Amino acid sequence: MTWARRYWLELVLAVLLALPWLSLFGLGLVWLWENHRVLEWAIGAAALGLIGWPIRVLLRRRARTRAAALAAGEDRPESGWDTEEAEAWAKVLRFAEEAKPLDFDALDRAEALSRQTIALVAAHFHPGETDPMARVTLPEALLVTEQVAHRLRRWVIELPGSKRIRISDALWLQRLVDRYGAAAQMAYDVGETIYRVARAAANPIQAVAQEGQRLAFGATGGFLGNNLRRAATAKLIHETGRAAIDLYSGRLRLSSIELAELARVDAEAAAPETPPRLLLVGQANAGKTSLLNALAGAARAHVGALPSEGPVREHLVSVEGRPALNIADMPPLPDAKRFLREAERADMILWVASATQPGRAQDVAALEVLRNWAAEQRRSRPPPVLVAMTHADLLRPVAEWKPPYDLEKPAGPKAASIRAARDAVATTLLLPAESVIPLALPEGAAGWNIDTLWERVAGELDSARRARNERLRDEGASPSALVEANRALRGGWNLLKSAVKQ
């Protein structure tokens, strides 16, 4: 049993603590008293408690280690975190690990911990500022309130009875506690004291044994309660830190609705969302045009022997059963500067590399430019890159071409040659082998492995949308002077109309 192996220390501790009570049920209080064994039983219970003490220490250390590992491996927010946000999260984790556990009624200290967490994150994103917590705008502050309320609602819904208990019921219960809680607690304490004194007078030896057992179980309860309070404290700091990172990193400059509006072709006409922009890059005669036509399922461009120069050509590709793409076909490399300008606007990059190409220096140089640019982007992610390795059918032995081929378990010289070429391309371009998709696009015949390429493109769509949302977030957060003037005019006009109506 996996859970038994994982929590065997907890099981040992539970058995050790339960043995005295199980022995009482087995032997019976009458037998212990008649045979004068109560004192021996009490000594045994105390010994078991002492044996369990080092196990509690080990459990406490292991709980801290597991909590730190779990926190370090927590999923990032849906939009993903960049380098600067990941560094801020590491600071939040350290602060949560060092914080003392909260008491359940320590509301003032809980508020203070939240403020300290926010101040920690604000100072990370705005170092050297006199008041970094104030480096937000009013729309951002309102949006973070909306986000926190949404998270809190999801957490409350998971609580048992949250959809049935009305606020009026909770207020009624609170009034009862305020009115009778202190008196009820006092009555319980007095009654318990009288019972313990009477028990000691009637049977001192049994009373001593039960007091020792009560102390052992009280220590265990305190240990478990401390772990629970520590977990609640860490949860408070983590959730506050997440919201603060979203706020001070600039992620809350625009809501999801505003991002969707920016991604529309014509916001005024309420056009559907723009398909991801896929940048088609490659050397001359790598097969970019043939690949474009294969993806579109029809001829979109003329396939020629000479490389075509000129502007970047946009092609909206919409094939039934496939995700819509806006494919931007670039002129052939080596114009690295132009490539970088287009890559900054791309949601995904499809690199076309011929399997029979003797030299890849131009590809390597352009990818190095892209990586250097991406390393400087601490607040946004680069677009994902896939490689379409064309001309797989022209590899040796050239005369053999009987697809399909299983590259994971290559059988025959052709499959082995295709796999070797794929691995060589991946090594040269410093990309994982699974990002390189071998293709064959013979003229006048059906293409090979196009479906696999479509599957890989579809698998990267989430990353492409995240890259686009981050780019739109930065663009929308720093609009041009013309856009700002237009907003000011529209806002002033709306205020004037409201004043006239009133």
Side-chain angles (χ1 to χ4, degrees):
M1 298 172 64
T2 304
W3 65 271
R5 290 195 300 269
R6 183 176 182 183
Y7 297 101
W8 69 270
L9 280 176
E10 286 87 344
L11 290 175
V12 171
L13 178 60
V15 171
L16 289 176
L17 294 175
L19 274 178
W21 292 103
L22 293 176
S23 66
L24 280 178
F25 285 109
L27 302 176
L29 289 172
V30 177
W31 188 93
L32 288 174
W33 173 254
E34 291 178 349
N35 293 274
H36 307 287
R37 301 292 185 182
V38 176
L39 183 59
E40 296 176 3
W41 173 82
I43 294 175
L48 292 174
L50 291 176
I51 295 174
W53 183 262
I55 296 180
R56 281 197 289 267
V57 175
L58 291 176
L59 285 176
R60 183 181 291 108
R61 292 178 180 175
R62 194 171 72 172
R64 290 178 178 176
T65 303
R66 285 179 178 174
L70 179 62
E74 282 185 5
D75 292 339
R76 293 179 175 183
E78 295 179 0
S79 56
W81 278 349
D82 55 36
T83 303
E84 192 170 11
E85 292 163 335
E87 293 173 356
W89 178 244
K91 292 182 179 180
V92 171
L93 293 181
R94 286 195 296 270
F95 180 63
E97 185 177 356
E98 297 170 358
K100 294 182 179 179
L102 285 169
D103 293 329
F104 291 115
D105 57 349
L107 298 180
D108 293 340
R109 186 162 177 265
E111 181 179 355
L113 275 180
S114 299
R115 288 184 60 84
Q116 292 173 15
T117 305
I118 296 173
L120 176 68
V121 174
H124 172 81
F125 286 100
H126 302 286
E129 294 287 341
T130 304
D131 192 2
M133 292 179 64
R135 295 281 297 180
V136 293
T137 64
L138 181 58
E140 291 170 354
L142 293 175
L143 187 55
V144 75
T145 304
E146 174 187 336
Q147 297 289 337
V148 172
H150 178 66
R151 291 180 181 177
L152 182 60
R153 182 180 183 275
R154 287 192 301 179
W155 178 74
V156 170
I157 287 176
E158 296 177 358
L159 297 178
S162 60
K163 295 183 178 180
R164 296 181 177 274
I165 300 176
R166 300 179 184 274
I167 296 178
S168 59
D169 299 333
L171 292 175
W172 172 78
L173 181 61
Q174 182 63 43
R175 286 194 294 268
L176 287 181
V177 172
D178 294 340
R179 180 178 300 179
Y180 305 110
Q185 182 65 41
M186 181 180 298
Y188 173 80
D189 293 339
V190 171
E192 184 189 26
T193 303
I194 295 174
Y195 166 74
R196 292 166 65 185
V197 170
R199 181 181 60 187
N203 193 333
I205 298 179
Q206 182 181 356
V208 170
Q210 291 183 355
E211 286 295 325
Q213 188 64 18
R214 180 175 180 271
L215 180 61
F217 273 89
T220 303
F223 164 73
L224 297 176
N226 182 71
N227 278 357
L228 180 59
R229 291 186 294 112
R230 185 180 298 277
T233 304
K235 185 67 174 178
L236 171 66
I237 295 175
H238 289 169
E239 292 304 324
T240 304
R242 286 178 182 273
I245 289 173
D246 285 344
L247 177 62
Y248 289 98
S249 66
R251 290 189 178 276
L252 295 184
R253 292 172 181 170
L254 298 174
S255 67
S256 57
I257 297 177
E258 292 166 337
L259 284 173
E261 290 177 351
L262 285 174
R264 295 178 184 279
V265 180
D266 186 359
E268 297 297 330
E273 182 183 3
T274 303
R277 188 173 190 266
L278 186 147
L279 184 63
L280 207 58
V281 188
Q283 295 188 42
N285 298 322
K288 291 196 297 95
T289 304
S290 298
L291 178 58
L292 171 62
N293 293 336
L295 291 174
R300 291 296 186 95
H302 174 67
V303 180
L306 297 177
S308 59
E309 300 291 343
V312 176
R313 293 178 172 84
E314 304 275 348
H315 303 271
L316 180 60
V317 173
S318 180
V319 180
E320 185 177 358
R322 307 289 190 186
L325 296 173
N326 183 21
I327 300 180
D329 186 11
M330 273 196 63
L333 293 172
D335 193 346
K337 292 183 178 179
R338 186 177 188 182
F339 156 68
L340 184 58
R341 288 198 302 269
E342 294 298 328
E344 292 176 356
R345 300 175 50 241
D347 304 325
M348 187 187 308
I349 297 176
L350 183 56
W351 211 280
V352 185
S354 173
T356 59
Q357 179 69 37
R360 306 196 187 280
Q362 296 175 351
D363 297 320
V364 172
L367 276 172
E368 184 66 19
V369 171
L370 177 65
R371 292 189 177 102
N372 291 336
W373 167 78
E376 300 173 355
Q377 308 305 308
R378 294 174 58 85
R379 305 294 296 274
S380 60
R381 70 183 66 242
V385 178
L386 293 176
V387 178
M389 191 188 76
T390 56
H391 302 152
D393 53 327
L394 303 181
L395 293 170
R396 295 180 180 180
V398 180
E400 177 190 337
W401 183 244
K402 297 179 180 179
Y405 294 103
D406 185 1
L407 302 186
E408 301 306 321
K409 298 179 180 179
K414 191 72 169 184
S417 181
I418 295 174
R419 175 166 179 167
R422 181 200 66 180
D423 295 343
V425 170
T427 302
T428 303
L429 301 184
L430 301 178
L431 291 170
E434 57 269 18
S435 296
V436 181
I437 300 93
L439 299 174
L441 305 169
E443 186 176 358
W448 170 71
N449 224 23
I450 297 296
D451 291 341
T452 302
L453 177 60
W454 269 114
E455 291 175 2
R456 291 306 313 278
V457 169
E460 295 291 340
L461 285 182
D462 287 340
S463 297
R465 292 189 180 98
R466 286 197 293 266
R468 178 175 62 183
N469 287 346
E470 291 181 355
R471 185 180 71 253
L472 293 173
R473 177 198 67 192
D474 294 338
E475 293 174 359
S478 302
S480 63
L482 181 61
V483 173
E484 286 284 5
N486 186 29
R487 289 178 180 174
L489 288 175
R490 285 189 298 177
W493 175 247
N494 291 333
L495 288 174
L496 180 60
K497 289 194 298 184
S498 299
V500 171
K501 289 181 180 180
Q502 291 179 356

